[in-house]
Amino acid sequence: MSRIPLSAAIGLFFTSLYFLMAIFAPWIAPYGMSEIVSNDIWESASAKHWLGTDSIGRDLLTRMIYGGRTTIFIATAATVLSFSLGSVLGLTAAVLGGWVDQVLSRFVDLVMSIPTLIFALVVLSVMPVTIPVLIIVMGLLDATRVYRLSRAVAVDVNVMDYVEAAKLRGEGTRWIIFREILPNVLSPLVAEMGLRFIFMVLFVSTLSFLGLGVQPPEADWGGIVKENKEGIVYGIPAALWPAFAIATLAISVNLVADWVLNRTASLKGGRG
């Protein structure tokens, strides 16, 4: 087995670091998530507060840790939902074809014709903004992108000889989808999963920045930027830390996704 490339190792390190911090947030955070620990707002970094304090005197490192936990959890859950729904429907449409394909594809085209952010803002403006609602709205909207990709790659695989042979053997639709087609379209789906996860991180951060995402006193990276954006005018870096975290997480996940894509592609090539 070949060694992991340096870029992939760096990506794995930072991705694992963020996920471990999210999982163990209650044990590694120095203070409570909403605990006010200082009378001074935007206090500079010190031995007591490694990243300083935020706009109302809460420990910024603590907010970052809990914010990462919320952001990563929502993004992960929404990505799982979008891929579970979008890929299954996309593969089903490609295999069945006919009116099933037409109905699903035209409905997806209709949803995709509306900008995703505007659609989410309209829906969330009339619904209670809770974490489960955010996950469902984000996952359903993003499932349309996954549907288009999975259907596109499955259409090509569906006409291969081994798929036709499985149909002649009398295999059912479930077998065709999960045993014949899915293993052969995993490479683009894995690469897309990394991109969609990052999109979810940016999506929930944007919604929180606009006030329709994670609601106070819960913390997430987009909300931390919103709470501390005025400090940028005075040279306070409090709003820059969550932006840096989002950027490094995006780069790290993409590095891992690229490595997995190359790895799976080389394995398939070796088998051929």
Side-chain angles (χ1 to χ4, degrees):
M1 185 174 181
S2 59
R3 296 178 60 185
I4 299 177
L6 178 60
S7 59
I10 294 173
L12 282 171
F13 172 77
F14 282 102
T15 301
S16 301
L17 177 64
Y18 280 122
F19 272 82
L20 288 174
M21 290 179 64
I23 294 171
F24 297 106
W27 293 275
I28 63 177
Y31 300 96
M33 180 177 61
S34 302
E35 181 182 355
I36 297 177
V37 297
S38 175
N39 293 325
D40 297 325
I41 64 172
W42 291 323
E43 183 180 326
S44 300
S46 63
K48 189 175 181 181
H49 307 295
W50 288 6
L51 298 182
T53 58
D54 68 0
S55 58
I56 61 174
R58 295 171 296 193
D59 181 65
L60 189 58
L61 176 60
T62 298
R63 297 287 290 175
M64 284 289 299
I65 293 173
Y66 277 103
R69 186 187 199 195
T70 304
T71 300
I72 290 174
F73 170 74
I74 293 176
T76 302
T79 302
V80 171
L81 174 60
S82 68
F83 266 82
S84 300
L85 180 63
S87 60
V88 170
L89 291 179
L91 298 178
T92 302
V95 172
L96 296 180
W99 67 269
V100 174
D101 184 17
Q102 288 298 318
V103 170
L104 288 174
S105 297
R106 299 296 78 78
F107 177 74
V108 167
D109 290 342
L110 175 63
V111 175
M112 291 183 67
S113 67
I114 305 174
T116 304
L117 181 59
I118 294 177
F119 202 142
L121 291 175
V122 171
V123 173
L124 293 173
S125 65
V126 297
M127 297 184 66
V129 183
T130 62
I131 289 180
V133 170
L134 280 174
I135 292 172
I136 293 173
V137 170
M138 293 168 55
L140 292 180
L141 289 177
D142 200 58
T144 57
R145 274 72 182 171
V146 181
Y147 171 88
R148 293 294 294 271
L149 174 65
S150 59
R151 179 190 175 277
V153 295
V155 165
D156 293 334
V157 176
N158 190 46
V159 297
M160 294 296 181
D161 292 340
Y162 55 85
V163 177
E164 294 296 336
K167 292 178 180 178
L168 292 175
R169 292 198 309 267
E171 304 291 357
T173 302
R174 182 179 301 178
W175 177 282
I176 300 295
I177 292 174
F178 292 103
R179 299 296 296 272
E180 303 292 343
I181 296 181
L182 183 59
N184 291 282
V185 300
L186 276 180
S187 292
L189 290 180
V190 167
E192 183 68 12
M193 181 175 288
L195 295 176
R196 301 325 299 175
F197 172 78
I198 294 306
F199 174 79
M200 291 299 186
V201 171
L202 298 174
F203 197 4
V204 68
S205 299
T206 300
L207 290 174
S208 296
F209 185 82
L210 295 175
L212 286 174
V214 179
Q215 299 298 303
E218 294 289 331
D220 82 302
W221 286 340
I224 296 173
V225 173
K226 178 185 179 182
E227 294 166 355
N228 297 281
K229 64 182 185 299
E230 291 84 1
I232 297 177
V233 179
Y234 306 102
I236 306 297
L240 301 181
W241 288 114
F244 174 78
I246 293 172
T248 53
L249 179 60
I251 295 171
S252 301
V253 172
N254 282 330
L255 290 175
V256 175
D258 288 343
W259 172 63
V260 173
L261 175 61
N262 293 331
R263 180 68 182 166
T264 54
S266 64
L267 288 175
K268 287 176 65 178
R271 289 171 182 165

